[in-house]
Amino acid sequence: MTGRTHENLDRLLQSGGIRLGRAQRDRLDWLAGQYGAPTFDDVSDTGRKGVIILREPPSGAAAELFYRSLSPGCAVVIPTSENPGFDFLKSKLTEFGTVGPCGADGPHELWWGGIGWSKFLTAADTSIVRPRIVSCHPRGGDATAAISLRNSLERLALACHIEPIDTEFSDRVLCFEKAEFMVRMWNKYREPLLFVEAGAMLREAPLLPSFLGCDVALHKWNRWEMSARTLYLGRTERAEMLLRAWQQLAASYPAIWEGYLLDQAWSLTSSHVPLDTVWLPRSYHALKGDLGAMRATVLHDQQTTTLELGPDPAFGGIVRTARRASRTGARDAFMVMTSNAQTANGVAVILRDIAASDAGAVAATVEALTGAYTANCGGYGRLELSLCAWQDDVGAARDAAALARYRILEIAPGQRIANDFFAHQAADDAVMTARHLFP
């Protein structure tokens, strides 16, 4: 991107009141280099090309018209995609990736997508960064599946590491065993890592994630359930944070299936740092029986109708709607911020009624809250912000905050948030404590 193009983009974002953190801006710059100069969605409704930035959720009819106006030469960017008002349009588009919020500088989730993967799948062949393929299987078990994977990698001349590991069961690798293996591989090698389940076959070099330059890449089975059968980790601090969070969760909850633990590690990491995630196409997670199996990059040794990925279909109901829209969701903290205050006190802010409120008001309130916490944390060492569309979401957020013994604040979009908002709340807490001690 040239200096002039960069300046033009600065002016465009400023004119639209769009605030992006460094990681989010890097992704937008990259998209501009791939597709062309960004414009806002209201500039023109014909002959769309380049990067289109959406500022307001379209209605159902408007979303349909917008979708029909797009071509594979367009990328769609939603810089405030945590708002569920965008969910319907997202469901019509191909989701490419998300970049999580990054504090007061970029306090929103950025989503990017388009019509299909064809442009990137073709361009990925030019990637000069090649991941190391890693896999593991139970020691003493049937090694046939691992041999098939190794043979496919040798045909493609791909660097790999496939090893038998000690496992509790001879016929499968548990989540904590897989996570521990991945941590060892992270410490052993310097390249990006692509874990592929033993039993899979690679039909071509899996260069899409490294070409896109993301922190982590994975596929969502059934559009919401995160699968650990194909998992890419770039050589970044944010990718390592996700890996270690997954390892800790897997060690703490060994009975819970790996996809849900990976989901929770992703949610936790995304709320703390601007995790740059790519949602891999089905060609990187094809199963036997898929219509496109012969053109797949990664073909797993599972039937299309498998229930192996999610053994309990109802288990992840609390996150399903949000994950289908690539959001962290109301029952997870949207953003977590910490301060320099030497205290363990935390404050949970619940922003309610976001589905029924103007998107601009929701975004402005999020920005005001994060700005106020940065300006004066009021002595709270930690802020957890939850976005709630419905009353049951509010109840779930309150329950979670109460378990953590946080101060709970419930506000509405558009409510005035002064820079001393948290200082005032802390002062009120002190008064209430004094009245309790000295009635």
Side-chain angles (χ1 to χ4, degrees), residues 304-316:
T304 300
T305 56
T306 183
L307 296 178
E308 182 269 349
L309 287 167
D312 182 357
F315 192 75

Side-chain angles (χ1 to χ4, degrees), residues 256-296:
I256 297 179
W257 46 283
E258 63 181 24
Y260 186 73
L261 292 175
L262 182 58
D263 176 291
Q264 292 303 285
W266 176 84
S267 176
L268 179 66
T269 307
S270 293
S271 68
H272 285 77
V273 296
L275 188 69
D276 190 336
T277 306
V278 162
W279 304 111
L280 290 172
R282 185 60 176 264
S283 60
Y284 273 68
H285 198 286
L287 305 181
K288 289 183 177 180
D290 282 5
L291 292 176
M294 293 304 296
R295 299 186 301 276

Side-chain angles (χ1 to χ4, degrees), residues 135 149 178 195-203 219 221 227-231 282-290 293 296-304 306 308-309:
S135 188
L149 173 60
K178 180 186 291 188
F195 178 87
V196 178
E197 196 80 18
M201 293 182 60
L202 271 70
R203 298 187 179 277
H219 177 75
W221 175 251
S227 171
R229 298 183 70 86
T230 303
L231 177 62
R282 185 60 176 264
S283 60
Y284 273 68
H285 198 286
L287 305 181
K288 289 183 177 180
D290 282 5
T297 300
V298 181
L299 179 63
H300 288 284
D301 186 22
Q302 292 287 329
Q303 293 297 322
T304 300
T306 183
E308 182 269 349
L309 287 167

Side-chain angles (χ1 to χ4, degrees), residues 190-249:
R190 299 274 67 84
E191 311 103 307
L193 301 178
L194 178 66
F195 178 87
V196 178
E197 196 80 18
M201 293 182 60
L202 271 70
R203 298 187 179 277
E204 58 183 46
L207 301 180
L208 178 64
S210 55
F211 169 73
L212 296 174
C214 55
D215 296 320
V216 59
L218 64 161
H219 177 75
K220 288 189 296 184
W221 175 251
N222 290 329
R223 291 186 54 238
W224 74 269
E225 181 186 328
M226 297 186 190
S227 171
R229 298 183 70 86
T230 303
L231 177 62
Y232 172 86
L233 297 173
R235 295 307 309 193
T236 67
E237 292 182 4
R238 296 186 292 260
E240 184 177 9
M241 284 184 65
L242 178 133
L243 174 60
R244 296 195 182 278
W246 188 39
Q247 179 193 28
Q248 292 169 8
L249 287 171

Side-chain angles (χ1 to χ4, degrees), residues 42-66:
D42 53 1
V43 171
S44 172
D45 59 357
T46 60
R48 293 186 187 275
K49 61 181 180 179
V51 180
I52 303 167
I53 301 175
L54 282 176
R55 292 176 290 180
E56 293 287 336
S59 65
E64 181 67 29
L65 292 174
F66 176 77

Side-chain angles (χ1 to χ4, degrees), residues 89-363:
L89 177 62
K90 288 181 190 176
S91 71
K92 302 183 72 63
L93 297 170
T94 299
E95 54 182 6
F96 296 150
T98 55
V99 185
C102 39
D105 293 333
H108 303 288
E109 286 179 345
L110 181 141
W111 182 96
W112 53 293
I115 294 298
W117 282 101
S118 58
K119 176 181 174 66
F120 291 145
L121 290 173
T122 301
D125 292 337
T126 64
S127 176
I128 60 174
V129 179
R130 289 180 169 246
R132 177 174 291 270
I133 314 302
V134 296
S135 188
C136 59
H137 58 94
R139 192 188 307 276
D142 186 358
T144 303
I147 293 172
S148 298
L149 173 60
R150 185 183 298 277
N151 290 340
S152 71
L153 298 175
E154 289 176 351
R155 285 195 299 270
L156 296 170
L158 294 171
C160 68
H161 181 114
I162 304 173
E163 78 171 54
I165 63 172
D166 295 325
T167 57
E168 288 193 11
F169 300 96
S170 62
D171 62 340
R172 62 187 181 275
V173 177
L174 298 178
C175 181
F176 77 90
E177 296 163 343
K178 180 186 291 188
E180 289 174 356
F181 167 77
M182 287 296 290
V183 170
R184 284 198 296 108
M185 295 300 98
W186 180 270
N187 295 331
K188 182 180 179 66
Y189 296 108
R190 299 274 67 84
E191 311 103 307
L193 301 178
L194 178 66
F195 178 87
V196 178
E197 196 80 18
M201 293 182 60
L202 271 70
R203 298 187 179 277
E204 58 183 46
L207 301 180
L208 178 64
S210 55
F211 169 73
L212 296 174
C214 55
D215 296 320
V216 59
L218 64 161
H219 177 75
K220 288 189 296 184
W221 175 251
N222 290 329
R223 291 186 54 238
W224 74 269
E225 181 186 328
M226 297 186 190
S227 171
R229 298 183 70 86
T230 303
L231 177 62
Y232 172 86
L233 297 173
R235 295 307 309 193
T236 67
E237 292 182 4
R238 296 186 292 260
E240 184 177 9
M241 284 184 65
L242 178 133
L243 174 60
R244 296 195 182 278
W246 188 39
Q247 179 193 28
Q248 292 169 8
L249 287 171
S252 300
Y253 305 99
I256 297 179
W257 46 283
E258 63 181 24
Y260 186 73
L261 292 175
L262 182 58
D263 176 291
Q264 292 303 285
W266 176 84
S267 176
L268 179 66
T269 307
S270 293
S271 68
H272 285 77
V273 296
L275 188 69
D276 190 336
T277 306
V278 162
W279 304 111
L280 290 172
R282 185 60 176 264
S283 60
Y284 273 68
H285 198 286
L287 305 181
K288 289 183 177 180
D290 282 5
L291 292 176
M294 293 304 296
R295 299 186 301 276
T297 300
V298 181
L299 179 63
H300 288 284
D301 186 22
Q302 292 287 329
Q303 293 297 322
T304 300
T305 56
T306 183
L307 296 178
E308 182 269 349
L309 287 167
D312 182 357
F315 192 75
I318 59 175
V319 301
R320 191 169 302 165
T321 300
R323 295 302 183 269
R324 282 177 172 164
S326 303
R327 293 189 284 107
T328 49
R331 286 172 169 82
D332 305 302
F334 162 65
M335 187 192 312
V336 176
M337 297 176 64
T338 56
S339 71
N340 294 324
Q342 300 299 314
T343 175
N345 292 342
V347 56
V349 178
I350 299 171
L351 184 57
R352 65 175 186 269
D353 301 329
I354 62 171
S357 302
D358 176 75
V362 174

